[in-house]
Amino acid sequence: MQSIKVGLIGFGTVGSGTLHVLQRNQAEIRGRAGRGIEIAMIAARNAERAKTIQAQVGASIPVTADANELVNRADIDIVVELIGGMEPAKSLVLQAIANGKHVVTANKALLAVHGTEIFEAARAKGVVVAYEAAVAGGIPIIKALREGLAANRIQWLAGIINGTTNFILSEMRGKGLDFGTVLAEAQRLGYAEADPTFDIEGVDAAHKLTLMSAIAFGVPVQFDKAHIEGISKLQAADIKYAEQLGYRIKLLGVTRRRENGIELRVHPTLIPSTRLIANVEGAMNAVVVNGDAVGSTLFYGKGAGSEPTASAVVADLVDVTRLATADPDHRVPYLAFQPDAITNTPVLPIGDVQTAFYLRLVVADQAGVLARITTILAEHDISIDAVLQRESAEGERQTDVIILTHDTVEGRMTEALAKMQALATVLAPIVKLRKEELA
Amino acid sequence: MQSIKVGLIGFGTVGSGTLHVLQRNQAEIRGRAGRGIEIAMIAARNAERAKTIQAQVGASIPVTADANELVNRADIDIVVELIGGMEPAKSLVLQAIANGKHVVTANKALLAVHGTEIFEAARAKGVVVAYEAAVAGGIPIIKALREGLAANRIQWLAGIINGTTNFILSEMRGKGLDFGTVLAEAQRLGYAEADPTFDIEGVDAAHKLTLMSAIAFGVPVQFDKAHIEGISKLQAADIKYAEQLGYRIKLLGVTRRRENGIELRVHPTLIPSTRLIANVEGAMNAVVVNGDAVGSTLFYGKGAGSEPTASAVVADLVDVTRLATADPDHRVPYLAFQPDAITNTPVLPIGDVQTAFYLRLVVADQAGVLARITTILAEHDISIDAVLQRESAEGERQTDVIILTHDTVEGRMTEALAKMQALATVLAPIVKLRKEELA
């Protein structure tokens, strides 16, 4: 059978990785897919660079600077979109769909924000939009959620889905350094971008979480409802105290089914250090999925980089190749559930979210302070799991009190915090972090 | 669309779990599959028990004692085989295929031994044989290998794929107990069967490894070529010494591509205790897969039990339902690769396998002993990574010497061991374990 023809838009890290993998493993990929997968055209801003990279693998694929030319070519069956961001990616993807082409994309931001529109357009035209590479790089987590765990009512999932922040947190803990110092090191090493905002403020993780949440629970993508906190304000002291209490701090994306809605949130989180996911270090990614039949499962691997991400792009290409001419009913639905089974379960506001908390209070070292704090918590029906009070050094007038609570509704904690903060004996802004047992 | 009709052969732990999951999650499963999945008949030896279990979930499915009746019923689309073992499972599966029915099975032994015949029969009839539940329970590892990592030339994989032995090893390490003591405890708790041979001697793990090896490398199933060692001879002392050297001992299934063939082996293995897989405790399973594009990935979860295994059975049912009426070309090939892409790469005999080794020698506590041992290793071109000599107690005439080697060919080690064992100063049978860095 003739090879399927792919047009590649974007020829940076992932694009060139995709070319490398398709060239190097072409015999194995053909053996799996049943037909060859051939890149027929590349759209790249820098044609010279594209030619240099091609020369490395002995390829000589036509390069265009005009991605519209590529999506309008009749001989292309699948468009791979790897430019990222909103425009022109969105227009190109919609034009490819309008032209009846299947789409493979690594664009988490685009799908988290405009997924509903894009999937609806694809459904109307009977084409596939595949996006394994959009979440957790080479880890086949989209496939696991959409297919491998299809028997389950998924209860929750929690993931380390941003390598930059996990690298920073690993370094902060390992070396006892501050956020700013490690960020500068990460930028020097190429683990963090010059403008790291999307990574360190949790936006990238929230894009990925939004996609996983939609396919786990059968709800539309709702990025605008996600609660997002990054790690830029995290202090080394809290990493150290967490460790003393048996916890690691990770930037987690958490989505959980509750009776009245779905939690969708990204924030630094204490996790028991005995959990496997707490031991995921450096730029690695991992996702824990809890289903009612299977219990907890974990998926771990490289979440970014040229060939790990290309691994996911090419896996999607194999899937699409196999099903390119199939009846759309034979394909996996875009968001795991058939369109008529998608529900409008609301995303809960952060005030309604239930978690445990870690609090650090800088307090005057005098009698009755702890009693006042714990009374406020009790008045708000928040029960305490553990308390750690640092012994003050000689002559020191203040100390740190660390409190771990049991699960509570966040709104109640917000009220209690306002009262504690107002105490004259509380000398600095209270640090509040969330804690998940992931049991 | 009308529900697809399933016939269930075997109504023990996994069979009843399958019924429970299909009943409880029927709305979600229909939402994913696009049609309902309905058990139309159950074949069970104990009809009374089958009725009692059905009553728990409000089901009243006809029960037959004659599985042949079930596979010959015209209204059944998919046969789920959950009785295990060779016969009558093999005949029933082949009869179901001959009748044009799709098959879902959890039977690792059957497929590891007779897979070639069964897959060929299914191919000729154009039906699916799905077996996610045959390996690692609820972890979707077959799907990951056949589809999620399809871009990769897989280099190796290593798995904890038998929960009973991992439970025993965790207990031996945690409590410092001997194998026999822990086995008895495991039997009392229901973690080990009355006749635990298949589990503790590594046979069950080798069945699963054989299947994973075939789909990872595109070779036929070759269970008879697997090298198999269990844990029944493992001593508590070696678990302790391994720990001192920074390693954990796990029963691993390892399959690895070499230039001249494929390694296929199950044995107790030292793994650096910093690896995630070394921290997989109790009855849990995990598989590390290393691909040339993706690097190392890990898949973790419950490898056995009623609903975790049912999770895999039902995921297969969803896949089969979706593709039941599709052209066979639209389906994933049985062994990941198209039949014409399966190669006859040989399985290497154990003498040609390359690993590092852990040796424990009980030696006379006198001058020159270590020199003689290390000379023998040097003569066989085996290089030493670390040596640990236990300090003898006062008055003691013997001591333990532990040696970790670098990678070597096993045949060479066998020769060196024979020479060391012949030394008069070596006072007991030498303990030899294999070591994998899994880097």
Side-chain angles (χ1 to χ4, degrees), chain A residues 379-391:
Chain A
E379 283 166 0
H380 289 80
D381 213 17
I382 297 168
S383 71
I384 293 173
D385 182 29
V387 175
L388 175 73
Q389 178 166 340
R390 183 175 61 79
E391 206 175 339

Side-chain angles (χ1 to χ4, degrees), chain B residues 208-284:
Chain B
K208 296 166 182 166
L209 181 69
T210 298
L211 289 172
M212 291 197 288
S213 178
I215 61 180
F217 302 131
V219 297
V221 288
Q222 304 171 71
F223 172 70
D224 57 326
K225 307 281 175 56
H227 175 84
I228 311 175
E229 291 173 37
I231 63 165
S232 58
K233 288 173 197 142
L234 196 67
Q235 296 173 53
D238 297 304
I239 293 176
K240 211 179 64 187
Y241 282 127
E243 184 119 40
Q244 286 175 30
L245 291 157
Y247 293 86
R248 301 264 166 91
I249 298 179
K250 296 290 184 185
L251 184 70
L252 277 195
V254 180
T255 184
R256 188 185 294 265
R257 186 197 294 277
R258 297 280 183 194
E259 258 182 39
N260 49 344
I262 287 164
E263 299 180 353
L264 184 66
R265 48 194 169 91
V266 172
H267 49 69
T269 314
L270 279 80
I271 316 169
S273 54
T274 51
R275 300 274 179 272
L276 277 196
I277 193 171
N279 293 283
V280 170
E281 300 290 357
M284 302 302 284

Side-chain angles (χ1 to χ4, degrees), chain B residues 197-370:
Chain B
T197 313
F198 261 40
D199 290 319
I200 64 173
E201 297 305 349
V203 179
D204 173 74
H207 285 143
K208 296 166 182 166
L209 181 69
T210 298
L211 289 172
M212 291 197 288
S213 178
I215 61 180
F217 302 131
V219 297
V221 288
Q222 304 171 71
F223 172 70
D224 57 326
K225 307 281 175 56
H227 175 84
I228 311 175
E229 291 173 37
I231 63 165
S232 58
K233 288 173 197 142
L234 196 67
Q235 296 173 53
D238 297 304
I239 293 176
K240 211 179 64 187
Y241 282 127
E243 184 119 40
Q244 286 175 30
L245 291 157
Y247 293 86
R248 301 264 166 91
I249 298 179
K250 296 290 184 185
L251 184 70
L252 277 195
V254 180
T255 184
R256 188 185 294 265
R257 186 197 294 277
R258 297 280 183 194
E259 258 182 39
N260 49 344
I262 287 164
E263 299 180 353
L264 184 66
R265 48 194 169 91
V266 172
H267 49 69
T269 314
L270 279 80
I271 316 169
S273 54
T274 51
R275 300 274 179 272
L276 277 196
I277 193 171
N279 293 283
V280 170
E281 300 290 357
M284 302 302 284
N285 281 20
V287 180
V288 178
V289 184
N290 183 278
D292 68 342
V294 76
S296 284
T297 51
L298 177 142
F299 303 84
Y300 164 91
K302 284 182 184 152
S306 175
E307 291 211 357
T309 310
S311 171
V313 169
V314 174
D316 273 350
L317 286 173
V318 172
D319 276 0
V320 175
T321 298
R322 198 174 276 138
L323 292 166
T325 60
D327 186 314
D329 285 347
H330 294 141
R331 300 179 190 142
V332 181
Y334 304 103
L335 291 178
F337 290 79
Q338 304 292 335
D340 63 359
I342 303 279
T343 66
N344 269 320
T345 317
V347 173
L348 296 171
I350 189 69
D352 291 350
V353 160
Q354 290 169 57
T355 58
F357 287 91
Y358 161 102
L359 306 175
R360 173 163 62 86
L361 301 94
V362 181
V363 297
D365 193 8
Q366 63 188 58
V369 173
L370 193 56

Side-chain angles (χ1 to χ4, degrees), chain A residues 77-147:
Chain A
D77 305 299
I78 310 174
V79 169
V80 177
E81 183 274 301
L82 299 173
I83 49 177
M86 294 302 165
E87 285 295 350
K90 186 185 173 196
S91 299
L92 289 166
V93 163
L94 288 172
Q95 187 59 45
I97 292 169
N99 291 344
K101 300 182 191 313
H102 303 295
V103 171
V104 171
T105 176
N107 196 331
K108 55 222 77 167
L110 178 63
L111 293 181
V113 176
H114 298 293
T116 304
E117 180 184 350
I118 289 166
F119 295 137
E120 177 49 33
R123 198 195 57 73
K125 286 295 287 190
V127 297
V128 181
V129 173
Y131 52 95
E132 184 64 80
V135 181
I139 307 171
I141 185 67
I142 299 297
K143 186 172 281 285
L145 284 167
R146 292 204 312 178
E147 304 171 45

Side-chain angles (χ1 to χ4, degrees), chain A residues 246-248 270-279 435-438:
Chain A
Y247 293 86
R248 301 263 167 92
L270 280 78
I271 316 169
S273 53
T274 51
R275 299 274 180 273
L276 277 194
I277 194 171
N279 293 282
K435 176 169 91 71
E436 294 283 347
E437 290 295 318
L438 303 183

